[in-house]
Amino acid sequence: MVPLLPLLALASPAAPPPIDSGDTAWMLTATALVLFMVIPGLALFYAGMVRSKNILSVLMQCFAITGLISVAWVVFGYSLAFDTTGMQAGTVNLASFVGTFENAFLKNLTKESVIGAFPESVFITFQMTFAIITPALIVGAFAERMRFSAMLVFMLLWFALVYAPIAHMVWAGDGGLMWDWGVLDFAGGTVVHINAGVAGLVAALVLGKRHGYPGTPMAPHNLGYTLVGAAMLWVGWFGFNAGSAVAADETAGMAMLVTQVATAAAALGWMTVEWLTHGKPSALGIASGVVAGLVAITPAAGTAGPVGALVIGFSASIVCFFCATTLKRRLGYDDSLDVFGVHAVGGIVGALLTGVFAAPALGGFGRVTDIPAQVWVQAKGVGFTIAYTTVVTYVLLKLVGLVIRLRVDEDQEAEGLDLALHNERGYNL
């Protein structure tokens, strides 16, 4: 992600830079595609994987988070994530970790504000969609057992204290902690996927297992919805990755190509390894492989070439398959929809391999000449994000739990969250 806010600060208010209609049109399109990933994409992907008595609860959570984070982004989120006040390259201070409230309520935004070659309003909305999908991803880890009110309070606090600081450290530019380290995260492998996946695992552990898990069958009730949702995620991800070039240029074109290549490789990889280990390929498996590939190529989309994308996608599918199946069973945690196994693990694989395939010597388009050194930088970023997200997420859940009961009671869980929390049924048969 290119740090564009400094460009705005340098622009003369009396003579703003010219608007490029091509860049603007592409960023408008990319923004719509990323929102499409959440509603309806992620919402349907998750809704099909839960039991029929919980379909509306998952859809409701995705829609509510979309509204909640959109408002919070305007009030304080954009400022916390992208304000550069006090940032200085090579200097570690509070501004290295989080922005100020200098741009709260977007008070410095005008119709004429420009970032790069398109309106700042478009950039704000584009980044808003990233802020929306990240907490929405966490929903899959605690699906079917968290109270709606507790979910809303937790998500708002998590957005303010986890997502915004991590985004600032990685993307805000010179003076940002992980930016100064040299961490490469083109479109959110660290900021979005590792962040959300680790938070999801913490939430699943704090809330505990669903009643009856793993002995009671809890099969997805409508894999058709899940496949449709996965297809929407695949299409929308071009906005996610190619849009992160923040221009309609050669970087966006290559990001689109490697996104398709990695995702296809991951879909085939998951299908193949499942076929070999379980005897049959499954629809849920190929959908999971698609998402694993999309996640893994995200940090590398601006620097990897096609061959690197093949390796990243295939590698992620194999690692994520075993983490979402074998590892999950052995450790016994109830990550309902495999948020950790796919998003955190896929993000980690992608982040580390970004350090390898950003090297021109391996067909990449980055500036990496010392691969081991860059992999170490990537590992530092991964480790810091895991540690920070784990600690803050755990503390937030415990604090919210002191005020609002986190989990529905056993009778409500047995009845299903659709009726228990929303007094509605997904299916009236």
Side-chain angles (χ1 to χ4, degrees), residues 153-232:
V153 174
F154 166 68
M155 288 302 183
L156 182 61
L157 293 173
W158 189 89
F159 164 71
L161 298 175
V162 180
Y163 178 81
I166 293 292
H168 181 85
M169 287 183 254
V170 175
W171 285 338
D174 289 342
L177 183 69
M178 285 188 270
W179 178 276
D180 280 0
W181 288 352
V183 171
L184 299 176
D185 185 9
F186 187 71
T190 298
V191 175
V192 176
H193 298 290
I194 298 175
N195 207 6
V198 170
L201 178 62
V202 174
L205 292 173
V206 170
L207 267 73
K209 302 174 186 178
R210 289 167 290 179
H211 290 294
Y213 180 89
T216 302
M218 297 181 181
H221 88 282
N222 193 324
L223 284 175
Y225 287 168
T226 297
L227 266 291
V228 170
M232 292 174 175

Side-chain angles (χ1 to χ4, degrees), residues 26 28-38 235-240:
W26 166 235
L28 288 166
T29 302
T31 300
L33 284 170
V34 181
L35 182 61
F36 182 73
M37 290 169 62
V38 190
V235 173
W237 222 284
F238 293 120
F240 202 71

Side-chain angles (χ1 to χ4, degrees), residues 11-16:
S12 168

